[in-house]
């Protein structure tokens, strides 16, 4: 058994929200817990707050009264770091400053036993750098819980450059015994979740900055079309604009200002203005008590087209053909394979977002990627100023006939859901190629850590091996800054598939 024995005390240093949450997890698992904070009296207040939360669990029949009483008896507020001397594990959840954390662990190293596991809950600092201050960094590991720690199941177990395999294994098994779902991760900026999640925010902000759509419409498309639990704007208002931007900036700097992680200027202005989201009452949205939530752009009802002609197959959008037929709209098939698109009665074309722009072609309307076209309640369309009004009306009427709300956005290549998912897939492949984590752990982390409807590799299998690469390659041609350049790992993934199928890349 590599996990810590339940009789061994666990210490948590830092009695804020995260520290209290981690302490509660260890306490409910059965450990004696010592809670310490440098501010006098704060650890005692935090212990009382944890006790009150246990009371609420009992009131909701989620915990037996006897278990609550036993847990309360095992929880103690420590007066000094020396009270932690016999602990088998110390987890810190203090200020996100490298010097503060290093100083704390140097002090702890002189107090605890040699077999004590030392762990940091940092979300943005290098585990290697924090552990570099220790005489024995081999016993130092990252245990990144997600807030609220007692509720969210994911724990990223992060191995620093000098972390011993046995220490990482002990931490992993401990998280599992505590009822969490651990994932193993190398020490990389943002670890798994905060590294791979950056495009979810970045692409939404980029579409807004290009004036292709406003926040409420982008959020609605991400939710109702993409299947995400929340949109990027409402989620960052919940997290706190300052917190979200700080993580983005930290990852960007740690990757030597890699353009793929460039922060948003629009979000920077929001932070500078003090509009930090729900906690200040104003962010992307007005959160004041009597504020009315704005409505997403939704097209007015128009007549459905008399028929559509399908050319080729629609790839990830092939389910649409059954829905169109079920709606009573005749589907004619063109025997000549001209591509993957629908031709409308006006002669205009309707195509799945592919990284190209509508303005490049004569009368093309793009529609966005959906998690499930049957269950999606909203579809986004993208058109240019040169698109025929009749073509746009027919495209709008078609999706309305399928029971969808339609949001028309500007001529944004890759649209919203498609380019977001493609970039997430790309960063995931890149992370695996660089030894950050396994495909399975990345999928688990993104589903449990940020509630994505699918993990990146689940998306990739559903969409086809070449889909993300082709879309990003088209985007890169139109924006050669490097932001959309497909990674070498994604290129290899797509090319290997082509070679196996006997086709050229």
């Amino acid at each position: 058994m590599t996990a810590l024995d339940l009789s061994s005390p666990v210490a948590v240093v830092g009695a804020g929200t995260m520290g209290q949450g981690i302490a509660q997890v260890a306490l409910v698992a059965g450990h004696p817990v010592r809670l310490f904070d440098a501010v006098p009296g704060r650890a005692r207040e935090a212990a009382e707050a944890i006790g009150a939360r246990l009371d609420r669990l009992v009131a909701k029949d989620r915990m037996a009264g006897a278990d609550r009483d036993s847990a309360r008896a095992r929880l103690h507020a420590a007066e000094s770091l020396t009270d932690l001397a016999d602990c088998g594990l110390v987890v810190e959840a203090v200020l996100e400053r490298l010097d503060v954390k290093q100083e704390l662990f140097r002090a702890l190293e002189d107090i605890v036993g040699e077999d004590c596991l030392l762990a940091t809950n940092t979300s943005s600092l290098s585990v290697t750098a924090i552990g570099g201050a220790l005489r024995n960094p081999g016993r130092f590991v990252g245990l990144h819980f997600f807030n609220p720690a007692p509720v969210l199941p994911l724990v990223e177990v992060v191995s620093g450059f000098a972390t011993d395999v046995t220490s990482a294994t002990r931490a992993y098994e401990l998280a599992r015994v505590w009822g969490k779902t651990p994932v193993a991760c190398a020490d990389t900026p943002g670890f798994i979740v905060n590294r791979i999640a950056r495009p979810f925010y970045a692409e939404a902000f980029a579409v807004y900055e290009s004036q292709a759509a406003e926040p409420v419409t982008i959020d609605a498309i991400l939710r109702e079309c993409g299947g995400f639990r929340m949109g990027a704007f409402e989620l960052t208002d919940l997290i706190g604009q300052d917190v979200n931007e700080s993580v983005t900036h930290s990852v960007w700097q740690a990757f030597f200002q890699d353009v793929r992680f460039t922060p948003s200027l629009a979000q920077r202005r929001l932070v500078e203005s003090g509009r930090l989201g729900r906690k200040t009452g104003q962010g992307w949205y007005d959160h004041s008590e009597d504020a009315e939530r704005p409505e997403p752009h939704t097209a007015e009802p128009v007549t459905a087209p008399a028929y559509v002609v399908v050319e080729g197959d629609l790839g990830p959008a092939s389910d649409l053909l059954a829905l169109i037929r079920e709606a009573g709209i005749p589907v004619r098939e063109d025997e000549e394979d001209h591509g993957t698109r629908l031709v409308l009665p006006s002669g205009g074309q309707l195509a799945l977002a592919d990284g190209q722009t509508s303005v490049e072609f004569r009368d093309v309307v793009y529609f966005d990627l959906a998690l499930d076209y049957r269950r999606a309640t909203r579809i986004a369309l993208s058109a240019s100023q040169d698109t025929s009004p009749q073509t746009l009306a027919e495209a709008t009427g078609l999706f309305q006939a399928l029971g969808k709300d339609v949001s028309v956005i500007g001529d944004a290549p890759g649209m919203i859901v498609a380019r977001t998912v493609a970039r997430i897939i790309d960063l995931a492949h890149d992370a695996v190629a660089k030894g950050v984590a396994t495909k399975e752990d990345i999928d688990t982390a993104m589903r449990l850590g940020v509630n994505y409807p699918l993990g990146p590799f689940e998306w990739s299998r559903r969409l086809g091996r070449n889909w993300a690469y082709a879309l990003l390659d088209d985007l890169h041609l139109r924006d050669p800054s490097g932001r959309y350049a497909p990674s070498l790992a994604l290129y290899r993934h797509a090319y290997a598939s082509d070679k196996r199928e006997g086709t050229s890349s």
Side-chain angles (χ1 to χ4, degrees):
M1 181 70 172
T2 57
L4 199 65
D5 191 273
L6 287 179
S7 64
S8 183
V10 170
V12 179
V13 180
T17 301
M18 281 304 303
Q20 291 179 35
I22 296 168
Q24 182 177 329
V25 171
L27 193 65
V28 170
H31 290 275
V33 173
R34 312 241 174 95
L35 192 57
F36 175 79
D37 197 283
V39 177
R42 184 172 290 176
R44 194 170 302 278
E45 294 173 0
E48 293 173 358
I50 293 171
R53 282 197 289 274
L54 297 181
D55 289 340
R56 289 194 290 273
L57 290 177
V58 172
K60 296 177 181 178
D61 292 327
R62 296 178 183 174
M63 188 178 197
D67 291 338
R68 182 266 320 274
D69 295 340
S70 176
R72 276 180 172 271
R74 295 194 306 272
L75 178 61
H76 299 282
E79 298 295 329
S80 70
L81 286 178
T82 55
D83 294 339
L84 315 182
D86 63 338
C87 289
L89 167 69
V90 180
V91 184
E92 70 80 15
V94 302
L95 189 66
E96 283 286 272
R97 276 180 44 188
L98 180 61
D99 59 335
V100 172
K101 294 179 187 291
Q102 287 179 329
E103 182 180 355
L104 169 63
F105 283 110
R106 275 194 293 261
L108 285 169
E109 197 170 32
D110 292 332
I111 295 170
V112 300
E114 292 184 1
D115 61 344
C116 177
L117 189 64
L118 299 177
T120 174
N121 183 58
T122 185
S123 62
S124 60
L125 299 176
S126 164
V127 171
T128 300
I130 300 171
L134 299 177
R135 294 189 300 274
N136 177 18
R139 62 166 163 174
F140 185 73
V141 67
L143 274 178
H144 182 217
F145 290 78
F146 288 74
N147 191 31
V151 176
L152 294 185
L154 184 69
V155 177
E156 292 178 318
V157 180
V158 185
S159 294
F161 186 77
T163 302
D164 290 337
V165 173
T166 53
S167 297
T169 302
R170 286 180 66 199
Y172 186 97
E173 287 300 317
L174 183 60
R176 188 183 58 79
V177 169
W178 285 1
K180 296 300 181 182
T181 303
V183 291
C185 176
D187 185 21
T188 183
F191 310 142
I192 297 174
V193 172
N194 281 328
R195 171 178 176 153
I196 294 174
R198 293 348 292 165
F200 179 74
Y201 312 107
E203 293 312 307
F205 297 162
V207 171
Y208 166 71
E209 289 174 335
S210 70
Q211 301 187 50
E214 68 281 5
V216 67
T217 298
I218 296 169
D219 278 352
I221 292 166
L222 286 167
R223 288 194 316 271
E224 300 172 38
C225 183
F228 291 95
R229 186 75 58 86
M230 297 179 75
F233 297 89
E234 57 189 343
L235 180 55
T236 53
D237 264 4
L238 175 64
I239 295 168
Q241 298 302 331
D242 53 339
V243 174
N244 180 260
E245 193 214 24
S246 177
V247 173
T248 298
H249 194 272
S250 174
V251 172
W252 175 62
Q253 289 284 21
F255 276 114
F256 308 105
Q257 301 186 357
D258 186 330
V259 69
R260 295 176 301 166
F261 301 100
T262 301
S264 161
L265 181 58
Q267 188 180 40
R268 174 92 292 264
R269 292 292 179 257
L270 208 63
V271 173
E272 289 174 339
S273 69
R275 299 185 175 192
L276 307 182
R278 291 190 184 184
K279 62 186 176 184
T280 63
Q282 181 74 51
W284 296 111
Y285 298 102
D286 183 352
H287 298 280
S288 58
E289 189 173 339
D290 56 350
E292 292 186 10
R293 183 67 175 262
E295 293 295 325
H297 168 76
T298 303
E300 294 294 327
V302 294
T303 304
Y307 65 89
V308 296
V309 179
V310 59
E311 295 182 346
D313 70 71
L314 297 182
S318 58
D319 288 349
L320 281 176
L321 296 180
L323 296 180
I324 294 170
R325 291 187 175 100
E326 289 169 16
I329 299 173
V331 177
R332 304 174 183 175
E333 296 189 14
D334 190 331
E335 295 182 359
E336 295 184 21
D337 186 359
H338 297 290
T340 55
R341 59 198 175 192
L342 295 172
V343 180
L344 300 164
S346 63
Q349 299 173 10
L350 186 60
L352 176 62
D354 59 6
Q356 301 182 89
T357 59
S358 181
V359 75
E360 299 172 54
F361 305 98
R362 187 187 68 81
D363 223 12
V364 170
V365 173
Y366 282 105
F367 64 95
D368 210 345
L369 176 71
L371 172 67
D372 183 332
Y373 283 100
R374 183 173 292 277
R375 297 176 62 184
T377 57
R378 182 177 300 272
I379 294 293
L381 301 180
S382 175
S384 75
Q385 66 272 21
D386 296 330
T387 302
S388 160
Q390 179 64 24
T391 296
L392 182 57
E394 289 177 345
T396 301
L398 175 65
F399 282 104
Q400 288 175 340
L402 307 186
K404 318 298 184 186
D405 287 329
V406 174
S407 293
V408 180
I409 70 171
D411 191 12
M415 299 193 67
I416 297 171
V417 179
R419 78 198 224 183
T420 297
V421 170
R423 287 206 59 214
I424 288 171
I425 290 172
D426 183 47
L427 289 185
H429 277 279
D430 186 53
V432 169
K434 292 176 178 173
V436 173
T438 65
K439 293 179 180 180
E440 294 75 19
D441 275 357
I442 288 175
D443 275 353
T444 297
M446 301 313 291
R447 281 189 284 101
L448 298 184
V450 278
N451 286 314
Y452 283 3
L454 295 174
F457 294 98
E458 292 171 320
W459 271 113
S460 186
R461 287 190 292 273
R462 174 181 289 201
L463 297 170
R465 295 177 63 93
N466 194 52
W467 179 85
Y469 175 81
L471 187 144
L472 291 176
D473 195 39
D474 276 339
L475 267 170
H476 178 54
L477 289 174
R478 287 150 185 83
D479 178 1
S481 65
R483 178 188 182 100
Y484 299 103
S487 67
L488 180 59
L490 189 64
Y491 173 80
R492 284 173 171 157
H493 176 75
Y495 182 78
S497 172
D498 287 340
K499 291 290 284 187
R500 276 194 294 274
E501 294 170 6
T503 61
S504 61
S505 61

